[in-house]
Amino acid sequence: MISLRKKLPPLTALTAFEAAARLGSFTRAAMELGVTQAAISRQIHVLEEDFGFPLFRRLHRKIELTDQGRALFNASAEAFNLIADTVSELRAERQDDQLAISATISFAHFWLMPRIAAFSRAHPEIKLRIITQDARNSIEAGDIDLALRYGTGTWPDGQAEFLFEDEVFPICSAEYALVKGPILTPADLIDHPLISSDTDDPTWTGWEEWLAAFSVKAPKKARGLRCSFYTEAIYAAMNGQGIALGWHHLVNDLIDQGRLVRLTEASIKTRAGYFVVMPAKRAAKESARLFIEWLRASGSLS
């Protein structure tokens, strides 16, 4: 019986071929593999000599796969992807005690970090890595085990599970409320500096939408501070610079501490909610399952 090793072409040459076929260029394949273009050409020539037929058609300033080359590329790409997935799973098993969690800056700052010690006390064997980023990067690459996001739950890069909804109401510092009050109704708010934050998220509630829910028109020329991030808006409110919109789950701790106060009884439910998102193409770690259970329990108490 012929051994498997003898049935296979040289793996170095096959690697060079797969990269060139996938990228459609000997030059780009050389850059990806860290070798010269001449080295890629030599390796592919080795394959073509071994097979006895060309794998590429060399055209003016480009290459094209022959029918035989396309058949080899489909098989090699599938095999390499299978190996890569298996290696990722094995590495994940080796590092199963580390859980990488992505969260927005505001959620990590105001909700997650004040509570995360409770999870670590319950599961000291799990090493946590918190990645704060407002940019919504794909979680399929393998660096992140789960992401905590606010939105509608329709993201193409993973499977989303609903955690909890939220409500929004106006907040300010206790000193501001004492000096500038009374502020009893939504209509009273437009006479004050309204602090806002920039966002590209259409589900995020701003002053115009919030006031419109109570038939109050937002002032055309807002006097309040405009911040790049929601965290900055909350700190501006705590420092007495005006009134901001508070998401219950994000500001409730600060209200309990007396660093913020809620104004009026008016509030609106958010159009979106908080979700945990896990990669669709990777099996969830046991540590991720434990963390999600903790999230649900903690969210219900907030």
Side-chain angles (χ1 to χ4, degrees), residues 46-160:
V46 167
L47 277 182
E48 292 177 328
E49 286 289 314
D50 183 52
F51 284 119
F53 49 75
L55 299 170
F56 290 99
R57 284 187 287 271
R58 278 78 166 173
L59 306 175
H60 182 59
R61 292 188 177 180
K62 68 176 183 178
I63 57 174
E64 287 184 355
L65 286 166
T66 63
D67 290 343
Q68 295 96 328
R70 186 170 292 104
L72 180 62
F73 171 67
N74 291 338
S76 60
E78 183 177 353
F80 285 164
N81 285 331
L82 177 60
I83 293 171
D85 290 344
T86 302
V87 169
S88 295
E89 291 175 5
L90 292 174
R91 286 174 175 168
E93 289 178 5
R94 185 188 66 190
Q95 299 176 352
D96 192 52
D97 62 342
Q98 176 173 291
L99 186 65
I101 303 162
S102 169
T104 62
I105 296 171
S106 58
F107 191 83
H109 193 91
F110 294 124
W111 192 92
L112 182 61
M113 297 312 296
R115 292 167 173 76
I116 199 70
F119 177 81
S120 294
R121 286 193 297 270
H123 302 282
E125 74 284 2
I126 299 176
K127 299 176 184 177
L128 296 175
R129 179 183 173 218
I130 309 299
I131 304 165
T132 55
Q133 52 186 18
D134 280 348
R136 192 167 292 159
N137 297 325
S138 174
I139 62 173
E140 291 292 359
D143 295 334
I144 298 172
D145 295 308
L146 56 86
L148 303 174
R149 294 176 180 171
Y150 174 83
T152 60
T154 55
W155 296 289
D157 61 334
Q159 295 177 328

Side-chain angles (χ1 to χ4, degrees), residues 164-289:
F164 36 78
E165 60 182 5
D166 215 336
E167 62 174 321
V168 184
F169 44 78
I171 52 167
C172 68
S173 69
E175 182 180 5
Y176 186 94
L178 180 64
V179 173
K180 302 292 184 178
I183 304 170
L184 304 176
T185 69
D188 295 335
L189 297 168
I190 61 175
D191 295 326
H192 296 267
L194 302 181
I195 304 169
S196 61
S197 57
D198 295 331
T199 179
D200 294 327
D201 187 349
T203 65
W204 192 256
T205 303
W207 274 114
E208 185 174 355
E209 178 187 348
W210 193 91
L211 289 169
F214 301 96
S215 302
V216 177
K217 189 174 182 179
K220 291 183 178 180
K221 294 184 178 180
R223 295 188 290 122
L225 186 66
R226 184 171 179 175
C227 304
S228 297
F229 299 100
Y230 183 69
T231 49
E232 296 169 350
I234 295 303
Y235 278 107
M238 284 194 290
N239 289 326
Q241 296 186 46
I243 302 172
L245 284 173
W247 267 248
H248 168 76
H249 280 93
L250 301 184
V251 302
N252 194 51
D253 288 350
L254 298 173
I255 292 174
D256 288 344
Q257 295 162 14
R259 301 172 70 184
L260 289 171
V261 295
R262 174 175 175 170
L263 297 172
T264 83
E265 294 298 318
S267 71
I268 65 172
K269 294 289 186 181
T270 55
R271 289 178 288 127
Y274 298 95
F275 291 80
V276 58
V277 186
M278 292 172 290
K281 297 180 181 179
R282 281 186 281 131
K285 296 179 178 179
E286 174 64 13
S287 56
R289 185 188 64 78

